[in-house]
Structure formats: structure tokens, C-alpha cells
Amino acid sequence: MRALLLLALLALLAGACAAPRGDDAAHGRPFPTPPGSLLTPIGPLPSADQVAWHERAYYAFVHFNMNTFTEREWGEGRESPDTFAPTELDCRQWARAFRDAGMKGVILTAKHHDGFCLWPSKTTEHTVARSTWKDGKGDVVRELADACREYGLALGLYLSPWDRNHPAYGDSERYNAIFRAQLTELCTQYGPLFEVWFDGACGEGPNGKRQVYDWPSFVAVVREHQPHAVIFSDAGPDVRWVGNERGIASETCWSMLKRDEFYPGTPNSEPLGPGQEDGTHWLPPECDVSIRKGWYWRASEDDTVKGVAALEELWLASVGRNANLLLNVPADRRGKIPEHEVRVLKELRERLDATYAKDLARGARANARPAAPPSAPTAPDSDAASVCDGERATAWAAPAGTTGAVLVLELPEPRTFDRVLLQEPIELGQRVRAFRVEVEDAGRWREIARGTTIGHRRILAVPRTTARRLRLSIDDARATPALATFALFATP
Ligand code: FUL
């Protein structure tokens, strides 16, 4: 009976994908309730582009710019363009490494706080065009965009509003126009971008004045030229900062936030981790973290590169907690991703593949019942097998009017696992507030995990367990609970 949600969700997805993508159209706008659906969407809801962003999960950040050659984290803006001098720039090598790592895209620091542009911008003298590198004909953004196309990666760009070089910085209106022109160049000359990354830093102007950024006009430029790109900043408007640079999302992680109460560079970053259950907008978190100590490469920090175990933990603490992982893997002075990092990324991929290739819950029988009698009469049990079909597009929902449910899964035979993956059909809104996972052990239920939110993707590391019957209790939810996926995996 509940399997009709399958069709409902597919219809919903089709509707979502057809939805217009303006700022207001995309956020908090209720999707049409599909005919026959047992579930009314509960907003705020993600836009189709935000759903696609959730699916991307894991991608690279590359801090590569003037600082790579001066060994600084924040340049001053007085560096000579000739200082930028990669000896063997090879963006195809980056793309190959990231593709082989199982990453879905890469975000490059097109301009960092020192103001040096990796593309020949017409808005400033401080660019690759003024460098002796490639006789002033180089364009790192172009080389990376071409490599991404070749290797099937999505491209994103980081453009720092704080600019310690540009003479207009601090003269707010003049500089805002220049920043918009830089954004326009990046949004119109390099093909589709999946994400535009804004840092909230707002430092000094050369004239002692402070710059007041015109954020709405920056967002408008991206919307006009890259309508499918999501925009990241502390406060979105599409993707929020997770509130720390350690790569760790909050265990309770709502995709929602009262977006209008935050701004880029907000001092109030504490709610960015858990999000807000009563948030007004869909604004899921992204975890940015570096594979090594600094954001930029330097030889003296080569021994700080994280190993595969640490990276796997980070992956679990981000991707496994309803966030995305933006892992910084900076290129070195040659303009290449160091071989050691390439190897570690590949090992991580092998480890993740070995764990998540085989869903041990596939084909399980699943039955569900409401945790408490629903207000409307309903059958005591319903078929919930669609949660175990490996398809996120099919979902099960509890009868309308309930906020709790119990799903019992029966595997064809006892199986051994140590990871539990849960997914909500987020196109219908994020709902679950509290859940428990139990296994049947000698005729009694034994708890192996409990949690609060689920969201797009929740992965729980549990003690290695062998069981045939499992029980998921959804103890509390904002609205009728629904589940798209219940999967089990085993680390090698
Ligand atoms: C920060 C910047 O100040 C750092 O240099 C780095 O780019 C990081 C990702 O964002 O706010």
C-alpha cells in the first residue's frame, strides 16, 4: 500500500527538477503534493540543485595561488605576479587524481585574500596575465575547467571578496562593482559551475576604510549566469558552513536554518553545526577541511598529511552526518598534487569501495507499524520493502498523522555488518528527530545505535554485529516519518 509512495516520490522528483531556480522559487517553496500521496511535504524543502548537491557528497578543494610560492596562508597583496611560477602545472593530473579518488568535483581558489587572479581578469593588474609564467598567457581556471570536462568532474570556484591588492577595496561601491565583474568573468567564461564559494573574511582596505559587501548583488550575478550553481557561504544562500574547519559535522544535523539571521562572516556560528529544526530555509552544511596542516602546500608540512584512517573518520563525520565533504588537497609549487596525497586518496577510495559496494540489507523483507495508534484507521502492518531496494527514489512512509513508527527487517540469513545507512526522502522535507536501531539477539531486542536526525544521509558506525532481524524505531519526528533507505555494510 505504502509502495505507492514510490510513484509519488518519482512524480515529486520530476516536479522538483522542473521547478524554476530563482532564489525565492528555490527555497521554502512547497512542491505540489502528488495525487494519492500519503505524505504532505513539510517545508522548507530543497531545490533540485540542492538535492543534486547532496548527491555529490565528496569533492576536492584546491588552495593553489600566490601563497603556494610565498609559504603564507594569507598573502599581503604586494607580491609580484612573477612570484607565481609553477614549473609543471598539470590540471589533468589533479583531475585524474580526484576522479580516481572517487570525488565528484573540485573547487579552486581562483582568487584568495591577496587578490591575485589565476585567470586573466580585466578588472585588475594583479593576475596571471602580468606574470612571466607562460609569458602572461597562462590561465589556471581554463586549464582546470578543461581537465574537469575531460575527466567528468564538476567545477566550482572560490572567489575571495576580501582583496588586499585591489586599490578600490574599501571604496565599497566601486569595489563591489569590480567584484561583480570578476564573478561575471568566472561565471561566463568557463562553462557550468556546480558551486560558487564565498569566504566571509572582510579585512582592512588599503585606505583604512572597511569594505561593505553587497551580497545580494553578488548572488544575483551567480543566479543570472549560473542558475544551477549552489552558493556557499557561512549563511548560504544555498549551502552553509558547518561552523568549524575540522571537517566534522554535528551529530544532530538539520538541513534547515533561519537563513536571514546569519550573514557571511557571522560571529554567531554556533547554530551552523546542528542547523535549526525550525529553520526557514533549506541550507545544508558543507565540511571544509585540509588534508594537511595549512590550506596551502608547503614542504615543511609534508609530514602533516592525514592518513587513510583519519580521512575515513572525516568522511564518516561529514558525509555520514547529512553534510558534504570538501577536502582540501593543495597543489605544490610544480603545480601538481603531491604523489603522496594521490596515493592516500586512492587508498581511501579503495577502503570506501570495499565497505559500501555491497548492501547487506538488499532484498530484506521489511514490515512497518506505527509506534502509536494513528488518528486515522490503518492496517497494523505495511510493506516497507522499498527501504531495502537500494533506490533512494523509492520511499516508505508511516500512515498520516503518526510521528513514530517501527520497521522490522528480516534478512534472508544472518549477516555481519558494522555500518548502518539511513536516508530520508528529503524532497518531502527533513522529519526524523530521534531513532534507535536494534537487533534480535537470542529472542530479545538489543540496541546497537541511536541517533537524532537522519536527513539526506546518516551513516552509523556500530560494533561488528551478526543478525538476521533488525528493528528501526523512529521515536519522534516533526511530521509523519518517511524513509528512503535502510542499508547495512561491513568494513573490510
Ligand atoms: C578561510 C580563509 O581565510 C582561509 O585562508 C581558507 O581559504 C579557508 C577555506 O577559508 O576563511
Side-chain angles (χ1 to χ4, degrees), residues 230-421:
V230 293
I231 301 177
F232 167 98
S233 82
D234 291 356
D238 304 318
V239 174
R240 73 176 192 259
W241 185 43
V242 76
N244 67 72
E245 288 181 339
R246 290 175 292 112
I248 312 242
S250 176
E251 289 204 50
T252 294
C253 186
W254 294 102
S255 293
M256 298 86 81
L257 198 77
K258 293 178 191 162
R259 191 176 72 184
D260 298 339
E261 294 181 6
F262 300 86
Y263 56 90
T266 180
N268 179 24
S269 60
E270 196 262 318
L272 299 181
Q276 296 168 317
E277 184 185 333
D278 56 351
T280 50
H281 292 79
W282 192 269
L283 205 64
E286 182 182 80
C287 296
D288 59 322
V289 57
S290 189
I291 196 167
R292 46 166 66 222
K293 183 161 177 264
W295 290 105
Y296 282 92
W297 176 87
R298 43 176 91 75
S300 62
E301 292 176 358
D302 275 353
D303 60 353
T304 66
V305 175
K306 294 175 178 63
V308 68
L311 290 175
E312 192 183 10
E313 263 177 51
L314 281 181
W315 187 91
L316 199 61
S318 51
V319 173
R321 292 185 186 169
N322 193 36
N324 277 6
L325 175 56
L326 173 61
L327 181 63
N328 181 59
V329 191
D332 60 20
R333 280 199 204 147
R334 293 171 305 166
K336 287 188 170 185
I337 304 299
E339 285 68 15
H340 177 70
E341 275 89 318
V342 174
R343 256 194 319 275
V344 178
L345 289 179
K346 202 145 178 231
E347 276 176 48
L348 176 64
R349 160 119 196 224
E350 283 160 10
R351 175 113 188 135
L352 293 174
D353 279 358
T355 302
Y356 295 98
K358 185 159 185 227
D359 174 5
L360 299 163
R362 187 71 65 85
R365 286 198 311 153
N367 283 298
R369 62 176 168 77
S375 47
T378 175
D381 274 299
S382 69
D383 183 7
S386 64
V387 301
C388 299
D389 63 3
E391 287 287 334
R392 202 187 71 78
T394 61
W396 161 87
T402 55
T403 54
V406 179
L407 267 90
V408 176
L409 281 89
E410 193 164 328
L411 308 177
E413 73 272 323
R415 288 178 181 166
T416 304
F417 55 86
D418 58 2
R419 296 283 183 273
V420 179
L421 165 71

Side-chain angles (χ1 to χ4, degrees), residues 61 63 73-74 112-113 158 197 199 245 288 295:
F61 212 180
H63 277 67
E73 283 293 321
W74 286 3
H112 203 251
H113 308 329
Y158 170 121
W197 214 94
D199 181 79
E245 288 181 339
D288 59 322
W295 290 105

Side-chain angles (χ1 to χ4, degrees), residues 315-316 319-321 355-356 358-361 387-388 409 411 416-423 435-439 447-451 453-454 457-465 467 470-473 483 485-491:
W315 187 91
L316 199 61
V319 173
R321 292 185 186 169
T355 302
Y356 295 98
K358 185 159 185 227
D359 174 5
L360 299 163
V387 301
C388 299
L409 281 89
L411 308 177
T416 304
F417 55 86
D418 58 2
R419 296 283 183 273
V420 179
L421 165 71
L422 303 172
Q423 296 191 285
F435 67 87
R436 279 172 299 133
V437 181
E438 296 160 296
V439 292
E447 183 176 307
I448 55 166
R450 65 165 63 207
T453 54
I454 295 176
R457 198 189 306 101
R458 184 69 205 268
I459 306 173
L460 300 135
V462 299
R464 198 166 278 270
T465 303
L470 290 97
R471 184 160 84 170
L472 171 71
S473 300
L483 199 71
T485 308
F486 185 112
L488 300 171
F489 301 99
T491 55

